[in-house]
Amino acid sequence: MDWQLGGIPLHPLFVHLTTVAVPVAALAAIAVAVWPPARRWLAVGSPVIGLVALVSVPLATQSGEWLEARTKETAALERHTELADGLLPWTVALFALMLAWEAWHRFGVAAVGSVAVRRTVGVVVPVLLLVAAVGTAVDVVLIGHAGAVSVWAD
């Protein structure tokens, strides 16, 4: 696929979408994991934000690979691309956990009679959600910094 529009590479556009969507999804995930009123406010919105983040990552990655093939390779660019390859698993985990947490609150809590199961899910899923949110946010910052260095450093 030709990842340009009117001769301008689309990678910066997709990168900006990713650098907004992924941290917003991470913040939404943290909010719904630790603050019960946020679950009501964000409800379906939280997984939708996670889905936007998830979709943005392959767009940024694929357009970046297209651009990389047309750019002089440097150590900074290589670091940026290596880091970028690790973001998709984080965003998949983040989206899946956001979806699972919303589904649990919408359908699972009332359907499960066991108090032990409810408590276990009520602790394990938010902890995993926090880990995925922090990991995703840290990864996107590291990738963005490496990308900025690859573009703007001498």
Side-chain angles (χ1 to χ4, degrees):
M1 180 172 179
D2 189 22
W3 290 95
Q4 60 183 344
L5 182 63
I8 299 172
L10 290 172
H11 184 63
L13 175 67
F14 293 132
V15 164
H16 284 89
L17 173 62
T18 303
T19 57
V20 171
V22 171
V24 168
L27 289 172
I30 291 168
V32 299
V34 300
W35 192 31
R39 276 184 241 135
R40 289 188 298 276
W41 295 337
L42 291 172
V44 177
S46 174
V48 169
I49 295 165
L51 180 61
V52 171
L54 178 61
V55 169
S56 74
V57 171
L59 292 172
T61 304
Q62 291 298 314
S63 63
E65 288 175 0
W66 177 89
L67 186 58
E68 179 186 22
R70 289 152 181 77
T71 307
K72 178 184 167 201
E73 187 160 333
T74 64
L77 180 60
E78 184 63 29
R79 173 156 169 71
H80 173 64
T81 57
E82 285 176 6
L83 287 170
D85 288 338
L87 185 58
L88 186 59
W90 281 111
T91 54
V92 167
L94 183 66
F95 172 67
L97 288 163
M98 291 170 92
L99 195 59
W101 192 232
E102 173 57 23
W104 171 253
H105 281 286
R106 190 167 292 261
F107 309 111
V109 174
V112 175
S114 170
V115 173
V117 170
R118 284 197 308 261
R119 284 187 181 162
T120 301
V121 171
V123 171
V124 171
V125 175
V127 167
L128 292 175
L129 196 49
L130 289 171
V131 169
V134 170
T136 303
V138 167
D139 203 25
V140 82
V141 168
L142 292 174
I143 294 164
H145 177 71
V149 167
S150 74
V151 171
W152 300 108
D154 290 330

